Amino acid sequence: LTEPPGSLSLLATSGAMRAAGLLLAWALLHPAASQQCHPASPAGVLRFTDRHAEIRVPALHRVPSSLDPLYGLVRRCLDLIQQNPLPTELLRTALNDPGSVRTSQVVQYELGYVVCAAVALLFTVAVPVAGMCFCYCRSRRRCGGRLRAHRRSLGCRRRCLLACLSFTSLVILISVTCAFVTSQRVKGQMEPGLGAVPSTLRTLRQHLANVPQGVQMVVDKFEVPRKQINSDLGGLSRSVGLSIHAQLQAVTYAALADLQDRAGDLQTSLHHLQILQRTARALAAARAELEPALRERRRRVVALLDDPRCTSCASVLGRAQSLQLGADYGKVPSVEKVLKALAGLPRSDFAEMIRQGNGTFNSIPELAVERMAQLIQDLRGDLARTAEKVQSIADGFPVPDYTRPVSEALLKAEERSQPYLREVERFERYRWIAGTVLCSIVLLILACNVTGMALGAYGLSKREDPSDYECRGEAGAKFLLVGVALAFLFSWLLILLVFATFLVGGNIQTLVCRNWVNQEIYKFIDTPGNLPPSMNLTRQLNLRRDSNLSSAYRECKSSAGLWEVLQLDRSYSLDEHLKTPKYTADFQKRLGDFTASLGDVRLLRGEGRQDLETFARSGVDEVDYGRFQEEMKNPVVQTSLPGLARNLEGLQKMQRNSTVAARLAAEARALWQMQNSTVQSQEALVAKLGESVQFLSRLAPHLKERVKSTLATTAAVEARLPLQAQQILRQELGCFTRKELRYFAQYLNWVGQTLREDVASCQPLATALDNGRVILCDRIAEPWNAFWFSLGCCTFFLIPSIIFAVRLTKHFRPIRNRLISTGSEETCPFHIPRVTALKL
């Protein structure tokens, strides 16, 4: 009799079997829930190139400057000078019928400029006349001479005049510095600003001409989602198979493990039943053989111990008399009937059956690849046809047919602007030369004032007598008079330059820039009848009939497409071309209609099922294993043979009769021989019998329930696996479909955004208009107006400079309180006689 293979391992893994059974029962009662699609990874976002339009109009912006406070002051002054709004009626008349424009209308609108012109004319006439009068007075020794008498208040008056002339000179210096800076800024902005006009018009034409290539380039980018979808299709079938395998493996492996446990129970139970039968027979036969030998041995030992010559043997006699057999295994129940019922089992190879079921289940990924091969091929074909549909976006794009009027209008504007731009450039060159020369003269006047004040003050500090002649004071007075002469000579030129630039720059600011910012110009252009038919921009630009320049500007500003503002008769709708279902219907339908059988796994064949059913009906659970256990509690021999043998050996040592001692030793050896040869072998059989009884007694109460559960769950798993596999297939294909549809949606959204904001956007038109306003108003008009404002401040502050300089001249000359010589100033005009220096 040998130990059954795997019996101990099956007993040790009973807890794991119960856990697998619970898992299997839960899986069968709760079918596979709807699986969530895999979360979107960074690879799920398509990346397209950022730039597509070859020609761009860079947006210009007003750059903050340290002269912004000056610009703001000039704008406020112009708003005071010209408070009238845009002259709509006057402009309409001037554009449609220039001959009917009345001068009074122009004067009424330009009243502020007319007043400024009157002031400029008055200044132009008055200052030269005042200069001639001063020359006459100077020749008559009335102006710029000497003080007639010394007074105590002369020092205070002199200091006051010095302070006033210094302050006036400082104001003139600041103004002329601002005039220099703004004049240079106008010069620096004028050339690139004028060059930006034809270049912007040319860029706009090139942008319109490149729209077809840009649209085709955008359409060609369908290759990005196409490659990604083809890549996903390459791994779809295996991914589906692996997902089905991963989600069903717990249920399948639990069912296979349960089936393997039942097969093990069958084989182990049959093995232990056979052991039970053979061991019981062997024990019964051994008992029959042991009984006469034991009876004979008891008789001999009792006779020996009862011998009168045996000393102290009476104490062991009772134990020897009780020497008899114990357990009788002939009385235990027979398992012959059960073994007959299990005869020939197992008829099926459970190990091979489980191996085949496991192999079939593990081959699901390869089976999915095989079953879905045609689907993948068809989907690739649908994707190729989708690429042809996407090409229709470019083929049907109508913008090139409708941008020709815009291109022609831009070309005409570029050609007509060239002569005007050249004239403006020439006028600006003259303005810059005149402004630089006159500003230099103002600086020369300031130099004369500063030098005159410095020399005069120094001469006064060195003169001891007010009537004394001092060359440095006299030189200071002459420098002041030179500055006065220069002011009289050039102030009228300064005021003419100021008025000319003021008239141009002021009207640009108040008539153009101010109304450009508040979009009054656009409203004027949009009002029917304001422009002559030859200047109808809506028709020339081929705008929609229900649109105008203002609405087109606003739409272009908000990144509208060219086709949305041009007159296309509503023949093209990009939104219709970019609807996802138009391109994904076939792709989506093919995935939705696909079905495949991927879960047909046989776990238990008919022979195996019959073996398990026979095992359950065999009566293993009906055997009274308690009788075996009760009989095994009895020893093989009631009296312990080793104990009796040791007692006899002890008595041998106590005997005085050698014959009795020898017989006691022989009987002890015989008992030891019986124990070692017969009784121990029977005890080993009893131990083996106990193992089998223990296993069968633990298995029997639950046998039918376990077999029934295994058969039921195996059948349920075989029935539900195809359904659950189909359900998982649908879920995986649904997730794949949604993922690929997101690729289509990303691409189409990107196409719409790129066409509207980049390739076929009309935003460059709005940007060009904004750039024109920035160049004309912010970069040219503002420093231009700041130039004439600064130069005007210089010009008007020359008047107090002349007055203070003439008044201060007398204080730098010797005070006339006595007659010095006949050749003095009284007889020689413009002659300052030398006198002794007197300290005042």
Side-chain angles (χ1 to χ4, degrees):
L1 297 178
T2 58
E3 181 180 354
S7 62
L8 295 178
S9 62
L10 285 173
L11 291 172
T13 57
S14 60
M17 291 165 51
R18 283 193 292 271
L22 290 175
L23 175 63
L24 181 60
W26 182 89
L28 292 174
L29 293 175
H30 301 81
S34 177
Q35 300 294 322
Q36 297 295 328
C37 295
H38 303 294
S41 61
V45 179
L46 300 178
R47 301 294 181 185
F48 302 98
T49 54
D50 295 331
R51 297 177 63 88
H52 294 280
E54 296 292 335
I55 307 299
R56 294 177 179 271
V57 178
L60 303 179
H61 302 283
R62 188 181 186 278
V63 181
S65 170
S66 58
L67 295 175
D68 285 346
L70 177 61
Y71 296 159
L73 177 62
V74 174
R75 284 196 299 270
R76 287 191 289 273
C77 291
L78 288 173
D79 290 339
L80 291 175
I81 294 172
Q82 178 56 281
Q83 301 180 7
N84 297 322
L86 183 68
T88 306
E89 297 296 331
L90 181 59
L91 289 176
R92 180 190 296 117
T93 304
L95 292 173
N96 290 278
D97 187 9
S100 62
V101 176
R102 293 177 296 175
T103 306
S104 59
Q105 292 178 314
V106 179
V107 172
Q108 182 180 0
Y109 177 73
E110 299 280 350
L111 184 60
Y113 294 99
V114 172
V115 173
C116 293
V119 173
L121 180 62
L122 177 63
F123 188 96
T124 304
V125 175
V127 173
V129 170
M132 288 187 290
C133 293
F134 175 76
C135 289
Y136 176 75
C137 291
R138 185 70 188 93
S139 66
R140 304 296 296 174
R141 300 182 300 277
R142 299 288 183 183
C143 299
R146 295 186 296 172
L147 295 174
R148 300 252 177 206
H150 176 70
R151 299 182 183 86
R152 292 182 179 180
S153 61
L154 287 179
C156 180
R157 291 176 62 189
R158 183 170 57 248
R159 287 190 293 272
C160 182
L161 288 173
L162 276 170
C164 291
L165 184 58
S166 299
F167 175 75
T168 305
S169 300
L170 179 62
V171 173
I172 295 175
L173 177 62
I174 294 173
S175 300
V176 76
T177 302
C178 292
F180 263 121
V181 172
T182 53
S183 177
Q184 193 62 33
R185 187 163 294 185
V186 171
K187 182 178 183 297
Q189 293 292 339
M190 185 66 74
E191 184 176 354
L194 296 177
V197 175
S199 66
T200 300
L201 295 175
R202 193 179 310 112
T203 300
L204 291 176
R205 288 193 294 108
Q206 293 173 352
H207 171 71
L208 296 176
N210 288 344
V211 167
Q213 294 88 336
V215 174
Q216 184 60 47
M217 183 166 52
V218 170
V219 169
D220 291 342
K221 288 300 177 181
F222 181 69
E223 193 64 22
V224 175
R226 182 178 179 180
K227 285 183 178 179
Q228 183 61 49
I229 295 173
N230 274 324
S231 175
D232 293 345
L233 285 174
L236 172 62
S237 54
R238 178 163 293 276
S239 174
V240 170
L242 291 175
S243 180
I244 293 174
H245 183 271
Q247 296 183 45
L248 297 182
Q249 65 180 355
V251 175
T252 306
Y253 289 163
L256 290 172
D258 196 37
L259 180 60
Q260 186 176 11
D261 291 342
R262 298 293 79 75
D265 289 345
L266 171 60
Q267 293 178 348
T268 309
S269 298
L270 181 60
H271 179 74
H272 282 293
L273 286 170
Q274 292 172 350
I275 290 176
L276 200 65
Q277 183 186 31
R278 290 195 297 269
T279 304
R281 289 179 179 178
L283 286 172
R287 187 178 189 279
E289 293 177 2
L290 181 61
E291 185 176 7
L294 186 63
R295 187 168 56 248
E296 176 62 21
R297 186 58 50 196
R298 181 181 62 196
R299 185 188 65 78
R300 291 173 65 87
V301 172
V302 168
L304 178 60
L305 294 176
D306 199 29
D307 190 341
R309 293 174 297 175
C310 186
T311 305
S312 301
C313 293
S315 60
V316 184
L317 181 60
R319 191 168 188 178
Q321 290 175 346
S322 64
L323 187 63
Q324 59 183 357
L325 293 176
D328 185 3
Y329 289 96
K331 300 178 181 179
V332 296
S334 175
V335 294
E336 186 70 26
K337 181 180 178 181
V338 178
L339 287 174
K340 287 182 179 180
L342 296 177
L345 294 184
R347 289 184 292 270
S348 58
D349 188 350
F350 280 97
E352 179 63 20
M353 190 186 309
I354 293 172
R355 189 190 65 78
Q356 290 180 358
N358 192 43
T360 303
F361 177 74
N362 289 335
S363 66
I364 285 179
E366 288 72 18
L367 183 62
V369 172
E370 178 184 346
R371 299 280 175 85
M372 297 179 67
Q374 185 60 43
L375 172 67
I376 302 302
Q377 183 177 354
D378 294 341
L379 290 174
R380 294 185 190 277
D382 292 339
L383 195 59
R385 288 187 290 273
T386 301
E388 298 175 359
K389 294 180 181 179
V390 172
Q391 181 61 37
S392 66
I393 298 177
D395 296 340
F397 202 73
V399 170
D401 299 332
Y402 295 87
T403 55
R404 190 175 299 107
V406 184
S407 300
E408 293 175 354
L410 294 174
L411 179 60
K412 187 182 297 183
E414 180 182 352
E415 293 174 349
R416 291 183 177 181
S417 65
Q418 294 291 346
Y420 297 104
L421 295 177
R422 286 193 292 270
E423 289 297 321
V424 171
E425 187 176 3
R426 185 168 60 89
F427 176 76
E428 164 58 21
R429 185 165 57 252
Y430 294 154
R431 180 211 64 80
W432 181 80
I433 294 174
T436 302
V437 170
L438 293 177
C439 287
S440 301
I441 292 174
V442 173
L443 288 177
L444 183 60
I445 293 172
L446 287 176
C448 291
N449 287 349
V450 173
T451 305
M453 287 188 291
L455 290 175
Y458 184 69
L460 287 176
S461 66
K462 296 297 183 181
R463 191 168 61 184
E464 297 180 358
D465 189 343
S467 61
D468 289 344
Y469 176 82
E470 214 290 317
C471 63
R472 284 163 291 201
E474 185 65 24
K478 289 182 178 181
F479 270 107
L480 290 177
L481 288 178
V482 170
V484 169
L486 291 174
F488 278 126
L489 285 174
F490 294 100
S491 59
W492 66 278
L493 290 175
L494 285 169
I495 199 64
L496 288 179
L497 179 61
V498 169
F499 180 73
T501 54
F502 158 73
L503 188 63
V504 175
N507 277 290
I508 289 176
Q509 173 62 36
T510 58
L511 188 62
V512 179
C513 295
R514 188 169 64 189
N515 295 292
W516 199 338
V517 171
N518 57 29
Q519 297 191 359
E520 288 295 327
I521 289 181
Y522 295 144
K523 296 178 183 178
F524 175 80
I525 294 174
D526 294 337
T527 303
N530 284 349
L531 298 179
S534 60
M535 298 177 63
N536 190 335
L537 295 181
T538 301
R539 187 179 68 251
Q540 289 183 1
L541 297 178
N542 198 28
L543 301 179
R544 295 197 318 263
R545 292 190 180 93
D546 58 344
S547 178
N548 51 40
L549 187 61
S550 297
S551 61
Y553 171 78
R554 287 192 298 271
E555 292 178 12
C556 292
K557 191 75 173 174
S558 60
S559 302
L562 284 169
W563 66 93
E564 294 175 322
V565 299
L566 297 181
Q567 180 63 46
L568 303 183
D569 299 327
R570 305 294 183 182
S571 60
Y572 185 82
S573 174
L574 182 63
D575 293 334
E576 290 295 327
H577 284 77
L578 298 182
K579 287 184 177 179
T580 305
K582 180 177 180 181
Y583 306 98
T584 61
D586 296 340
F587 191 87
Q588 192 172 359
K589 184 176 184 301
R590 193 177 299 279
L591 282 169
D593 294 343
F594 177 76
T595 58
S597 178
L598 300 175
D600 295 338
V601 179
R602 292 293 303 276
L603 303 180
L604 182 61
R605 303 185 185 278
E607 292 181 356
R609 182 177 296 275
Q610 291 176 4
D611 286 349
L612 293 180
E613 291 174 350
T614 303
F615 177 45
R617 296 192 303 266
S618 63
V620 175
D621 56 333
E622 299 174 358
V623 177
D624 188 1
Y625 299 104
R627 294 281 302 277
F628 284 92
Q629 294 172 347
E630 291 177 359
E631 199 65 37
M632 284 188 295
K633 293 178 182 178
N634 300 321
V636 176
V637 179
Q638 291 289 351
T639 301
S640 174
L641 293 181
L644 182 59
R646 282 191 291 270
N647 290 336
L648 294 178
E649 290 173 349
L651 291 174
Q652 175 194 353
K653 296 176 182 179
M654 299 171 57
Q655 300 302 317
R656 290 185 296 272
N657 190 325
S658 60
T659 304
V660 173
R663 291 180 62 188
L664 286 173
E667 291 300 328
R669 286 194 298 272
L671 290 174
W672 279 114
Q673 184 178 3
M674 181 178 292
Q675 172 66 28
N676 293 333
S677 61
T678 304
V679 175
Q680 282 188 354
S681 63
Q682 291 188 33
E683 288 177 348
L685 291 176
V686 171
K688 184 66 67 177
L689 180 66
E691 291 181 2
S692 298
V693 169
Q694 183 182 6
F695 175 82
L696 293 171
S697 63
R698 289 170 55 183
L699 175 67
H702 310 289
L703 176 61
K704 289 184 178 180
E705 180 184 351
R706 289 182 180 180
V707 172
K708 181 179 179 181
S709 175
T710 299
L711 295 176
T713 53
T714 304
V717 169
E718 288 181 345
R720 295 191 62 86
L721 275 182
L723 300 178
Q724 293 181 351
Q726 187 65 27
Q727 181 182 0
I728 297 171
L729 173 66
R730 299 270 18 102
Q731 292 167 356
E732 291 296 320
L733 290 182
C735 290
F736 177 80
T737 302
R738 288 188 290 274
K739 177 183 177 183
E740 306 312 314
L741 290 183
R742 283 196 297 269
Y743 289 141
F744 280 106
Q746 285 182 48
Y747 169 72
L748 295 175
N749 290 336
W750 174 81
V751 168
Q753 181 181 3
T754 304
L755 291 181
R756 284 189 173 91
E757 299 179 2
D758 194 355
V759 173
S761 173
C762 73
Q763 192 172 19
L765 300 177
T767 303
L769 290 175
D770 292 339
N771 288 352
R773 181 189 58 78
V774 171
I775 292 173
L776 177 62
C777 301
D778 296 338
R779 299 191 177 183
I780 295 179
E782 283 192 344
W784 176 289
N785 290 326
F787 165 74
W788 63 254
F789 185 83
S790 301
L791 195 61
C793 288
C794 294
T795 305
F796 282 103
F797 270 91
L798 285 178
I799 296 176
S801 175
I802 292 172
I803 296 173
F804 295 140
V806 172
R807 298 291 299 274
L808 191 59
T809 301
K810 296 181 180 182
H811 291 271
F812 293 158
R813 288 174 173 168
I815 298 175
R816 191 176 61 183
N817 51 11
R818 65 179 182 271
L819 193 60
I820 301 300
S821 67
T822 58
S824 64
E825 189 181 32
E826 285 79 2
T827 58
C828 299
F830 300 101
H831 176 70
I832 302 176
R834 184 180 299 277
V835 296
T836 60
L838 295 176
K839 188 171 182 178
L840 297 177

